[in-house]
Amino acid sequence: MSLTAEDRQHMVRLHLEKAHAFLTEADEYFSMGRFSTSANRFYYACFHAIHALFVKDNLYPKTHEGMNIMFGLHYIKTNLFDNKYGAFVTRLEYLREKADYNIMFEVSKTDLEDMQPMAHELVMEIEKFVKS
């Protein structure tokens, strides 16, 4: 995909806005005890923040798995971001998939308690990175 620098900046901003909106929704669902929906929103907040990175650097994965792989290769293994974020995104995606597609599975408060602050932290770290 060939975008101008201005187009990329605009898309980065839109991805970050979406990430923040999803964080807000995730926190609201968490406080209401709707943990499966909250897991979905936390995942997509991180998804959009990571995509802001990708747009900035002209990277375009085609799948969620591709996003995880590219995030690992381009940002975790190069030490631009702490290794904990790679593991976190993988865990969060797994939890989101189980919550969305497995009718026998419900996300618990315990499942999300450590993920909530980590999602906020990752979005904030990515935002600082793309603005630097």
Side-chain angles (χ1 to χ4, degrees):
M1 179 181 275
S2 181
L3 298 172
T4 67
E6 186 178 311
D7 290 340
R8 277 203 304 281
Q9 285 178 341
H10 181 67
M11 287 184 67
V12 165
R13 190 179 80 255
L14 292 175
H15 275 296
L16 290 174
E17 287 173 4
K18 179 92 54 175
H20 284 287
F22 284 172
L23 281 177
T24 299
E25 289 178 12
D27 289 337
E28 290 169 357
Y29 285 121
F30 185 87
S31 69
M32 294 185 315
R34 297 194 51 204
F35 304 117
S36 292
T37 305
S38 183
N40 175 286
R41 298 291 84 183
F42 281 128
Y43 172 76
Y44 280 106
C46 295
F47 171 93
H48 282 287
I50 291 168
H51 275 267
L53 279 175
F54 290 167
V55 169
K56 176 187 174 291
D57 292 335
N58 213 26
L59 300 170
Y60 299 96
K62 296 186 186 317
T63 64
H64 291 270
E65 182 180 0
M67 179 194 77
N68 287 337
I69 291 167
M70 289 175 84
F71 182 60
L73 287 173
H74 294 277
Y75 302 97
I76 302 297
K77 290 192 187 275
T78 59
N79 295 316
L80 293 172
F81 287 88
D82 192 290
N83 190 46
K84 69 183 179 181
Y85 295 123
F88 165 71
V89 171
T90 299
R91 255 183 45 232
L92 188 56
E93 180 188 15
Y94 174 76
L95 188 63
R96 192 261 326 159
E97 283 184 357
K98 278 184 74 173
D100 285 354
Y101 300 113
N102 184 337
I103 62 170
M104 302 299 284
F105 180 77
E106 282 295 321
V107 176
S108 71
K109 182 177 184 178
T110 305
D111 292 327
L112 284 184
E113 283 178 325
D114 65 328
M115 293 187 170
Q116 183 179 29
M118 187 75 120
H120 282 270
E121 184 181 314
L122 178 57
V123 170
M124 184 179 64
E125 288 298 315
I126 289 173
E127 188 167 31
K128 283 194 304 192
F129 184 85
V130 299
K131 289 182 176 180
S132 64

